[in-house]
Amino acid sequence: MKPSTLVDEFEHYSAWRDALYVRVEALRNWLSTERLGDAQSDMRLSHLLGRLQGDTLNVAFVAEFSRGKSELINAIFFSDYRQRVLPSSAGRTTMCPTELYYTPLLHPSLRLLPIDTKARDGSIVDFKRDPSAWVEFPLDLDSADEMSATLMRLADTIDVDAATAEAYGLINPDDEETARSLERDGYIAIPRWRHALINFPHPLLKQGLVILDTPGLNAIGTEPELTLSMLPSAHAVLFLLSADTGVTKSDIEIWRQYLAPLQGASRARLVVLNKIDGLWDDLKSVAEVDAVIARQAASSAALLDLPASQVYPVSAQKALVAKVRNDPELLVKSRLPELERALTQELIPYKKELVSESTQAGVEDVVVKVTELLETRLATLQDQVDELEGLRGKNRDVIQHMMVTPNEDKQRFDRGLQQFNALRSVFASQVETLRQRLGMEALHNEVRQTRQAMEKSHFSIGLREAMGHFFRSLDDNLGASASSIQEIREMMTAMYQKFSDEHGLAAVNPPDFSLNKYRKEMARLERIFDERFNTIFKMLTLGQQQLTSRFFETLASKVVQVFELANSETESWLKALIAPMETQVREHKTQLKRRLESVSRIHAATETLDERIAELEVTMATVSDQLDNLARINTRIVDALSDETAGTRLAQTA
Ligand SMILES: Nc1nc2c(ncn2[C@@H]2O[C@H](COP(=O)(O)OP(=O)(O)OP(=O)(O)O)[C@@H](O)[C@H]2O)c(=O)[nH]1
Ligand SMILES: [Mg+2]
């Protein structure tokens, strides 16, 4: 049997995800044709579907320069092109972070963000929203040569004077080579581009794979967004070492500063010892060579504080050659299949779990809510039938008397309704307070004030204070919001209890919600800022303020993202909190009204009793069918979720 490769497994995963999409979509469509979905459920399901559709799998490659990142990407993903797609050569090659992905909305192209954007406000995410900031080169897919010529631009550099390099935050006076170059002619070579986006219709990229290739040589440190969001959001990170250099001081630095902190999250993180072909030796036996490789892998692992089993020795270059020449023996020798297997085993299940969990939670909420609604409806109908059955054969006076019960029910319910409306207005004012604390306006004010304080201070202590104050106030806001949330939830819980006791509405346990994860994320950002602050100050003698403020802008845009998420999650929670109550109250009201009507109708003409009972029974049958259908649709989703092996089969039969 052919061993399953990353390509196979990823295709399998995509098929699983597509099947899931189809089934969740079926639920949404069914709810809408049966008129059972409220705005809240519809929004929830649409959001889920959007996430499934835009689902990406992000894999990042990180290392010091020339360890073979680009070569490894070529070998794993692009060997079908029978040549190097990404430029890879001795010395520094990839000069800027490069994202490879595919969107059918744009032509295949290489888009490059000029380095001078570093002197402008705005983070890479901001620039991504502004197509005019990028220089675009079309990719000619029919000509491999032209394509790789175009991609050579990833290696472009420009010569600038020290002041310009410094303004971009790209100068390190401690670096000997920089010092020498400046002494020679006053210029140094810096990357020409700040960021690259490659839109490429590769089968895996089409299915949502996003590859991030990074440049070595401390480039990670000069682009805050890599540290703040791109690496933490990658589902797998590969860190490369090279057998010819061994583990150097700067390898260890990159590992400690950027990769080690990513531990803990159950994300795949693999260490690759590349270029083992340098250790091949025709004069030694296979066992001897293997022992040399094992020794180097073990000592590298020790230097990174890892078990030896977590280091994967490979030869990216020989693997690429083997795949291009179709040489299975060389491919085995390159050991790339072992790395691919490990990557597949760690990456796909982890990703699947993430998607599974969020889909399941969303679907379950909606299904439970609709089931409750249908069950209440069914029970009320049953009550009515029972009541009418009891009326058979009774005379008008008795029936007159029977009308009293629903009338009393209605009066009691009307009183409850008044309480509910009063509660709504308390709820609205509590929500208003919460929005003031958590809302974007408060945040933007805080950002503005911090920016001003930073501009005014000329000493590092002032900058530090301004930032400290920024993080403290935001945490205070989050803390106060958390208390608001607690209060709102307590009030609603009490109210649900009251309505369930007094009016027989289904007991609902209001969903729980906490801002903890956002507070944690803020603490993480603050830690990164602290570390970054220290390194900047060690590294630079001039332009500190400017650099710090640019770092602040990136940080601020990240904080804005965190708050936007917190706000949208809070808003959905608030809706989810009040929606079941509203639905139930509405439902109860209609049912009461119907009961009153039907008793009055019977009062007017007792002979319609049988007809009315028959009518109710038909409605009950419809509701029962709806319950069955809902259960069936839900089972299909649960099946799709738990399916381990038959992704493709499901996609075909869904
Ligand atoms: N012998 C040998 N050379 C390799 C191997 N992998 C990569 N190389 C070579 O090492 C050099 C650097 O490879 P790149 O892929 O450009 O390295 P990189 O990590 O992308 O480097 P930057 O883009 O500069 O950060 C190139 O000349 C490759 O051909 C390998 O497995 N064996
Ligand atoms: Mg490279």
Side-chain angles (χ1 to χ4, degrees), residues 268-284:
R269 196 188 52 174
L270 302 170
V271 178
V272 179
L273 176 63
N274 190 25
K275 309 199 189 179
I276 56 164
D277 53 298
L279 305 174
W280 294 350
D281 184 343
D282 289 342
L283 297 180
K284 285 188 185 146

Side-chain angles (χ1 to χ4, degrees), residues 69-70 87-88 93-94 213-214:
K69 295 174 294 283
S70 304
S88 151
T93 308
T94 314
D213 187 12
T214 61

Side-chain angles (χ1 to χ4, degrees), residues 315-331:
S315 168
Q317 193 191 58
K318 296 296 181 246
L320 180 61
V321 172
K323 284 186 176 182
V324 168
R325 296 204 187 130
N326 212 351
D327 179 345
E329 217 170 294
L330 185 60
L331 187 62

Side-chain angles (χ1 to χ4, degrees), residues 519-584:
R519 292 181 91 170
K520 273 198 200 139
E521 177 64 6
M522 291 298 300
R524 188 182 73 88
L525 294 178
E526 183 171 8
R527 261 198 319 278
I528 291 175
F529 174 79
D530 278 347
E531 278 164 22
R532 179 73 189 140
F533 202 87
N534 292 335
T535 47
I536 283 180
F537 277 48
K538 260 186 260 149
M539 228 168 73
L540 289 166
T541 49
L542 289 161
Q544 296 171 338
Q545 196 192 6
Q546 203 184 351
L547 247 167
T548 312
S549 72
R550 194 157 48 237
F551 188 78
F552 173 70
E553 292 308 324
T554 314
L555 189 76
S557 83
K558 186 73 197 166
V559 169
V560 167
Q561 273 175 25
V562 172
F563 269 70
E564 271 167 358
L565 274 180
N567 269 288
S568 88
E569 207 189 334
T570 307
E571 291 299 331
S572 316
W573 175 75
L574 287 170
K575 284 203 191 95
L577 202 59
I578 195 101
M581 175 81 89
E582 280 175 338
T583 316
Q584 284 208 32

